[in-house]
Amino acid sequence: MLRVLRNFLPIPNNDPNPFFRYISYIDIFGFFERDPFGNWLILKRLIILIAGFPTYWRIAVANQLKVEGAEKIARLPNQNVYFISNHQTYFADVITFYHIFCSVKWGFGNRVIPIALFAPRARTFYVAASETMKEGLIPRIFSLAGAILVERSWRAKGENVKRELDSSAGSNVAKGLKFGWVVSFPQGTTSPYAPIRKGTAHIIKDANPIIVPVVIDGFRRAFNKTGLAYKKRNTELRVKFKDPIHFAPEATVEEITEVIKNIIEQDMPERIARWRGETSESVKNH
């Protein structure tokens, strides 16, 4: 009970403005909180509340959400926690994380209950492709809920490209980690068994966060690629939080990348790899 009550106490911050820094010690309702990017958390809480109720229906009523391991994240600190997950839709995955985090804050464990939206966990960010979050009004609104936008160097508008790495991505994720929790999809795509991008490993080496592996399933069957339209209702959506881990400082980028691939269960099964190889060879021969 005391742990839950502590979740509602103000968290002092290092805001560059002395007024906001001092008032953070007594700002119980969070009216004067700002994140490291200068955004007001009261606005973020409002967006989570407004977006939360219709999306709750989609994930927990029209479909069946099953959460496992929420008790593991209830004991985590308020900062420097990095959630690493596989990815199945643009928005439904992230929205579900927000629902779970809000319910954990209220002490609901593996149950997602919409009353938690009235005092959501606002110190949460997620990494998203810049082009995805700028396509339409709804993505732009969702972006205000905590998106850390990155420019993908390997893909743009559905096509493979090659361009310079977004040098600001790592520093922005580090800012988010110093302030709260960050959700990342290290494959950078909703395609299953896609390679892990090494940028995630570099962030882990630089920030040394607590890593929480997450495995999700069912979202691809329930929703379209954006996660905003149904494909099949009454689908079981599964979110499994695994034990938090730390990487040793001497771990290499290659070692971290390989571990990430395994812990989010994106190591391609041999039968699928063999099938893809055979299909590719068949295409070449014809």
Side-chain angles (χ1 to χ4, degrees), residues 2 4 15 58 92-93 98 112 117 120 155 158 201 240:
L2 289 177
V4 173
D15 196 292
R58 286 172 172 266
D93 310 8
Y98 271 67
V112 172
L117 297 169
R155 196 162 180 82
K240 179 181 180 181

Side-chain angles (χ1 to χ4, degrees), residues 67-121:
V67 182
E68 181 181 346
E71 70 281 356
K72 298 171 184 177
I73 65 175
R75 299 185 291 268
L76 294 173
N78 289 315
Q79 294 89 21
N80 210 34
V81 180
Y82 203 23
F83 293 84
I84 304 295
S85 175
N86 61 314
H87 201 18
Q88 296 196 339
T89 71
Y90 291 165
F91 301 113
D93 310 8
V94 173
I95 291 168
T96 302
F97 276 106
Y98 271 67
H99 278 285
I100 296 170
F101 294 161
C102 293
S103 290
V104 167
K105 174 183 176 180
W106 281 62
F108 295 145
N110 290 320
R111 296 173 298 162
V112 172
I113 299 178
I115 192 176
L117 297 169
F118 286 99
R121 193 184 196 289

Side-chain angles (χ1 to χ4, degrees), residues 48-61:
I48 294 173
L49 172 63
I50 294 173
F53 281 95
T55 55
Y56 171 80
W57 176 273
R58 286 172 172 266
I59 66 172
V61 180

Side-chain angles (χ1 to χ4, degrees), residues 5-143:
L5 290 176
R6 283 199 294 268
N7 291 336
F8 293 85
L9 295 177
I11 301 175
N13 59 52
N14 295 317
D15 196 292
N17 186 306
F19 170 78
F20 295 122
R21 186 165 63 250
Y22 294 142
I23 205 171
S24 69
Y25 287 86
I26 58 173
D27 186 16
I28 296 176
F29 297 103
F31 290 133
F32 299 99
E33 285 185 293
R34 297 191 298 181
D35 68 18
F37 308 103
N39 302 311
W40 294 101
L41 292 197
I42 190 67
L43 174 61
K44 185 173 178 178
R45 291 187 176 97
L46 182 61
I47 292 172
I48 294 173
L49 172 63
I50 294 173
F53 281 95
T55 55
Y56 171 80
W57 176 273
R58 286 172 172 266
I59 66 172
V61 180
N63 292 292
Q64 304 167 15
L65 178 64
K66 304 293 183 182
V67 182
E68 181 181 346
E71 70 281 356
K72 298 171 184 177
I73 65 175
R75 299 185 291 268
L76 294 173
N78 289 315
Q79 294 89 21
N80 210 34
V81 180
Y82 203 23
F83 293 84
I84 304 295
S85 175
N86 61 314
H87 201 18
Q88 296 196 339
T89 71
Y90 291 165
F91 301 113
D93 310 8
V94 173
I95 291 168
T96 302
F97 276 106
Y98 271 67
H99 278 285
I100 296 170
F101 294 161
C102 293
S103 290
V104 167
K105 174 183 176 180
W106 281 62
F108 295 145
N110 290 320
R111 296 173 298 162
V112 172
I113 299 178
I115 192 176
L117 297 169
F118 286 99
R121 193 184 196 289
R123 289 172 170 256
T124 306
F125 304 91
Y126 62 96
V127 181
S130 179
E131 64 180 68
T132 301
M133 305 309 295
K134 293 178 180 178
E135 294 181 352
L137 178 61
I138 293 179
R140 289 178 184 272
I141 293 174
F142 284 162
S143 180

Side-chain angles (χ1 to χ4, degrees), residues 133-198:
M133 305 309 295
K134 293 178 180 178
E135 294 181 352
L137 178 61
I138 293 179
R140 289 178 184 272
I141 293 174
F142 284 162
S143 180
L144 297 175
I148 297 177
L149 302 181
V150 300
E151 294 286 348
R152 293 188 296 185
S153 61
W154 68 95
R155 196 162 180 82
K157 297 181 179 179
E159 297 181 359
N160 294 329
V161 298
K162 287 185 178 181
R163 57 189 179 194
E164 292 185 5
L165 290 173
D166 183 358
S167 59
S168 66
S171 60
N172 286 337
V173 172
K175 287 181 182 178
L177 286 169
K178 286 183 179 179
F179 189 76
W181 294 355
V182 176
V183 177
S184 179
F185 304 99
Q187 292 167 289
T189 176
T190 57
S191 300
Y193 308 119
I196 304 298
R197 300 294 163 181
K198 292 186 177 181

